[in-house]
């Protein structure tokens, strides 16, 4: 990146998934997310700001931190800034950074590792909250299967409030995941309304927990690959839980024995 | 309401909390939410549609259902419709309905009742997901304390995907809540990072579970009123869980013995 036009054009371009994938870059928007990015090991390519950022003391502190780190800082008009931002209320700051490369075959599983598997999750807010929950509840990684929204979408990054910078999502196909889990001796359980109520089957030592699409649940292929389908006990007449809430309950209840 | 101008003007007006409170009405937007509303016992005042709704078979079915119920149906231009809608992608349909009146002193608690208490939750999506979780996980009611976003905001209604029509939120002050819980012999536990890890204290028979503001947690007043503060075990370096995920875990783990 070089100069005003470069960073602004790049940020606008990175609204498209194809551009993010081709360049291996993503955009972090808003005060809290950019603060978390600067505190993470990820490489920042540049920061775009507009005058909105100067209006709060916290914005001023962030500006000082950006300057003292010697990062490329480009100031644009509010209109130009808004044309590059993808989330609501980005508070006058966004940063372009490199996606950490994290591949399934580079993952090391501890004795009692937990993984979260995202199968066709469509809502960026849900994906962000899932990554946040997986990180906070001790999963080693989150595996993102095809059909799931891009985990480096700015709305996902915003919802994960920095958790994915230290707990990066790993993209894989179902057959890659299946081979990996088998090689690692790791069981795969899926969340499904018709599954056995949580608490019946003994919990495997190494476990991957899969959650599916907001409307349709797990795909047939994933369902077939699961060693066990489990459900969360619910009230009579209740339709369903939000997928991130369901995953949080499963990650907590199925955590390693302590 | 009477006629095109009446319902359109009313829907626009109901974007404001004060108007919703004064009139005791709210707006449900989008196919799934309006379908859930029609399946609920709530009274519908009228439905506003634009041509977008006709473009899907599901939209056509909903139109038939509205007509066969004899509900007031007003068709407006897409531009007028958009001026009345408050959420993204309302799919060409919104309904104006009456807020069910539900007061704390009219609540009946069963032997092992659970309540959820919302203390200063700011994000409408979080409030909607909290109401959905409370309903799905068997809480009798959700108590909404001052400082929380209006639970009849269209974005909340959308996120709750119909659950709040059968599990209506109850507005109360902290002192009203305190008096009610004492009279009912119901304990109050609060979620707080510094609380005792979940699983230590014996679970009371009747229990209200409080969760606090996304940034600041529980208010000092609520904290002081709690019989117990509890925390969810987390990974080292983890910052926090989303408030709706935390509430889901607490409602599940602290459910009545079965």
């Amino acid at each position: 990146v070089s100069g005003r036009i470069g960073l602004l054009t790049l940020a606008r371009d990175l609204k498209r998934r194809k551009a993010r994938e081709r360049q291996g870059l993503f955009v972090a928007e808003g005060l809290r997310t950019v603060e978390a990015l600067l505190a993470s090991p990820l490489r920042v390519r540049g920061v775009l700001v507009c005058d909105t950022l100067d209006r709060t003391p916290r914005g001023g502190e962030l500006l000082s931190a950006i300057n003292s780190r010697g990062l490329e800082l480009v100031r644009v008009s509010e209109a130009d800034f808004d044309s590059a931002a993808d989330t609501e209320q980005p508070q006058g700051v966004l940063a372009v950074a490199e996606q950490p490369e994290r591949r399934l075959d580079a993952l090391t599983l501890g004795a009692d590792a937990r993984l979260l598997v995202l199968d066709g999750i469509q809502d960026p807010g849900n994906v962000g909250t899932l990554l946040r929950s997986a990180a906070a509840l001790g999963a080693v990684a989150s595996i993102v299967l095809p059909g799931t929204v891009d985990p480096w979408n700015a709305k996902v990054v915003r919802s994960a409030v920095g958790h994915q910078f230290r707990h990066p999502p790993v993209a894989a196909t179902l057959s890659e995941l299946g081979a990996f889990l088998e090689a690692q001796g790791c069981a795969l359980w899926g969340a499904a309304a018709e599954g056995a109520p949580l608490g019946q089957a003994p919990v495997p030592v190494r476990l991957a927990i899969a959650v599916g699409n907001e409307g349709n649940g797990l795909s047939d292929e994933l369902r077939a690959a699961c060693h066990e389908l489990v459900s969360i006990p619910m009230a009579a007449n209740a339709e369903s839980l939000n997928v991130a809430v369901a995953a949080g309950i499963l990650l907590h209840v199925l955590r390693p024995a302590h």
Side-chain angles (χ1 to χ4, degrees), chain A:
Chain A
V1 193
S2 70
R4 171 185 306 259
I5 303 300
L7 194 64
L8 179 60
T9 307
L10 181 59
R12 282 182 188 148
D13 196 35
L14 294 174
K15 285 189 185 179
R16 294 180 308 117
R17 179 174 192 159
K18 282 234 179 305
R20 290 191 297 271
E21 287 174 346
R22 196 176 56 237
Q23 308 215 41
L25 298 174
F26 73 96
V27 177
E29 302 184 0
L31 271 169
R32 195 169 167 195
T33 315
V34 175
E35 286 168 357
L37 178 64
L38 294 188
S40 83
L42 301 197
R43 286 194 55 188
V44 178
R45 287 281 183 91
V47 183
L48 198 71
V49 301
C50 69
D51 291 349
T52 313
L53 186 63
D54 307 307
R55 291 188 198 129
T56 60
R58 194 170 163 187
E61 281 167 36
L62 181 58
L63 266 177
S64 306
I66 292 162
N67 283 320
S68 71
R69 288 268 294 270
L71 295 172
E72 177 177 358
L73 179 70
V74 175
R75 186 175 285 266
V76 295
S77 70
E78 283 188 45
D80 277 345
F81 184 88
D82 288 345
S83 74
D86 201 27
T87 65
E88 284 176 54
Q89 303 187 310
Q91 302 160 300
V93 61
L94 67 79
V96 173
E98 296 177 12
Q99 294 181 17
E101 209 188 332
R102 205 169 172 202
R103 292 156 38 134
L104 202 54
D105 55 19
L107 267 190
T108 313
L109 299 191
D112 53 4
R114 293 293 176 271
L115 294 168
L116 182 66
V117 178
L118 280 61
D119 179 36
I121 313 292
Q122 282 305 302
D123 179 80
N126 282 342
V127 173
T129 306
L130 283 163
L131 297 176
R132 178 180 177 183
S133 296
L137 295 170
V140 178
S142 290
I143 315 298
V144 180
L145 296 178
T148 296
V149 76
D150 176 19
W152 295 103
N153 167 321
K155 293 192 188 77
V156 173
V157 174
R158 189 84 187 260
S159 305
V161 285
H163 281 78
Q164 88 193 80
F165 303 150
R166 294 170 188 281
H167 171 92
V170 180
T173 64
L174 181 54
S175 67
E176 288 166 350
L177 176 64
F180 173 79
L181 294 179
E182 194 173 335
Q184 298 280 334
C186 182
L188 176 62
W189 283 18
E194 75 277 20
L198 209 48
Q200 291 193 345
V203 182
V205 180
R206 279 183 174 174
L207 179 62
I209 300 165
V211 290
N213 177 268
E214 289 88 346
N216 305 316
L218 298 173
S219 65
D220 290 341
E221 298 74 27
L222 184 61
R223 214 173 273 256
C226 284
H227 301 101
E228 188 84 34
L229 293 177
V230 288
S231 65
I232 296 164
M234 292 217 271
N237 302 322
E239 232 187 88
S240 68
L241 287 167
N242 167 278
V243 63
V245 173
I249 293 174
L250 292 171
L251 284 164
H252 172 78
V253 173
L254 301 173
R255 69 193 181 284
H258 40 266

